[in-house]
Amino acid sequence: MTDGVLQSAPPLTSPQPRWQRLWAGLFGTPLNAAVTLGCLALLGWAVPPLLRWTLLDAVWVGPADRCVDAAGACWAFIGEKLRYILFGFYDQDRQWRPAAAGAILLALAGISGMPLFWRRATLGLWLVGLAAALLLLSGGPGGPAVPTERWSGLPVSLLLAVVGLVGAFPLAVLLALARRSSMGGVRTLAVLFIEVTRGVPLIAVLYVATLLLPLMLPAGAAIDKLLRAQIAIILFVSAYLAEIIRAGLQSIPAGQYEAAQALGLGYWQSMRLVILPQALRTVIPSIVNLAIGLFQDTTLIIVIGLFDLLNTARTAAKDPAWLGFYDEAFGFVALIYLTVCVVASRYSLWLERRLRR
């Protein structure tokens, strides 16, 4: 009987080489072949003129006069306005301060993304790093203060996105747990906040924080405009992040809750040690996707008079000496956004594989 079962088992086959799987995906069926050939034809029509405009006929150095009659892009404009696009209204001799602040924020985000640093000491590192970044952006000791209205460029985009996501995370966890709570009042309040916040666009939330909130404050009281925008972004992101975390909590089998109770763990202990680590692991792609969208949505702060990376690039193209080079300005900023988004998506794939092992 055993021999018969063993003989009827299918033989083990080695996986196909990668080029065979790629060929099957591109030309395996008539429809796939037609789509592939159509895409190749579209690329053959669009890529050559794009290469001529971006590389072959482009102007790389020189004054604006050289770009007037050029058939290609004027990358000399980017070289001339690079500092303004990245750092906005900061004085040229003090632009190392926003550059250092942006590097600190990127370093904090990179360190926090590595499982090796998922410990309590990282929270202290965040507090120190964030304080240092804010001190640098505000002018720092020994120099004139820089009001937040003059904070602009890439550091502002990084500040709003990184602090917005990190600040929203603990609030989102509480909202997700409250929405699944057995206490009706707590659950109702959480549902109302999440649904109302997710039901309005971010631009409306920014308008409320900028125009309506000052009217609600007592006479003489004021909150900085950038701080109001940051709080609005944190509240807005927390509603979306709470739904992502709730989906992760719902994916955990009931046996995990029962096992935690059998070990004598209380509610908060079981959530911190057993349930939340598993739930967050399952929703990593959604969290990274939300972070990418948040970084892109920071461009909306222009409606309240603040300038992020995209808006400093647009302002740079209004310089009378370099008027009209919007394609180059927006193309350069798009490359920065594309780089950040690709790196974030690759990090998401790496972290999924790492946690799966």
Side-chain angles (χ1 to χ4, degrees), residues 122-288:
T122 306
L123 178 60
L125 185 63
W126 261 99
L127 296 177
V128 174
L130 185 58
L134 293 176
L135 184 63
L136 288 169
L137 289 173
S138 62
V146 180
T148 56
E149 288 78 7
R150 293 183 61 84
W151 294 14
S152 49
L154 182 59
V156 171
S157 298
L158 293 174
L159 179 69
L160 292 175
V162 172
V163 176
L165 186 64
V166 174
F169 190 82
L171 179 58
V173 172
L174 294 178
L175 287 172
L177 296 177
R179 185 156 189 174
R180 291 172 52 85
S181 174
S182 58
M183 295 183 289
V186 174
R187 184 175 62 253
T188 302
L189 291 176
V191 170
L192 286 176
F193 176 82
I194 292 173
E195 296 302 330
V196 171
T197 305
R198 294 175 71 242
V200 296
L202 177 58
I203 190 172
V205 178
L206 292 174
Y207 268 124
V208 170
T210 304
L211 302 178
L212 299 183
L213 183 60
L215 300 178
M216 303 176 187
L217 297 176
I223 301 177
D224 182 79
K225 182 188 295 186
L226 182 63
L227 179 59
R228 277 179 279 159
Q230 185 69 83
I231 294 175
I233 290 175
I234 289 175
L235 295 176
F236 183 82
V237 174
S238 66
Y240 284 85
L241 189 56
E243 287 297 275
I244 293 174
I245 296 175
R246 184 171 71 94
L249 292 173
Q250 289 179 336
S251 67
I252 304 301
Q256 296 293 317
Y257 294 89
E258 297 171 356
Q261 294 176 355
L263 292 174
L265 299 178
Y267 176 80
W268 293 107
Q269 284 182 318
S270 62
M271 285 296 168
R272 182 173 61 89
L273 299 176
V274 179
I275 306 302
L276 277 176
Q278 299 181 69
L280 295 177
R281 183 186 305 173
T282 62
V283 295
I284 287 174
S286 300
I287 295 177
V288 174

Side-chain angles (χ1 to χ4, degrees), residues 326-343:
Y326 291 100
D327 294 338
E328 291 82 354
F330 291 147
F332 175 71
V333 172
L335 182 61
I336 295 178
Y337 278 106
L338 178 63
T339 302
V340 173
C341 294
V342 169
V343 170

Side-chain angles (χ1 to χ4, degrees), residues 292-325:
I292 292 174
L294 175 60
F295 180 64
Q296 296 171 345
D297 288 342
T298 55
T299 57
L300 295 176
I301 62 173
I302 186 60
V303 301
I304 60 176
L306 299 175
F307 287 76
D308 72 318
L309 176 63
L310 179 63
N311 296 299
T312 53
R314 181 173 56 184
T315 306
K318 296 180 180 180
D319 187 346
W322 297 87
L323 187 61
F325 296 107

Side-chain angles (χ1 to χ4, degrees), residues 90-110:
Y90 278 87
D91 297 331
Q92 188 169 354
D93 58 341
R94 307 184 68 203
Q95 287 177 348
W96 66 270
R97 293 183 179 274
I104 291 174
L105 292 173
L106 286 176
L108 289 174

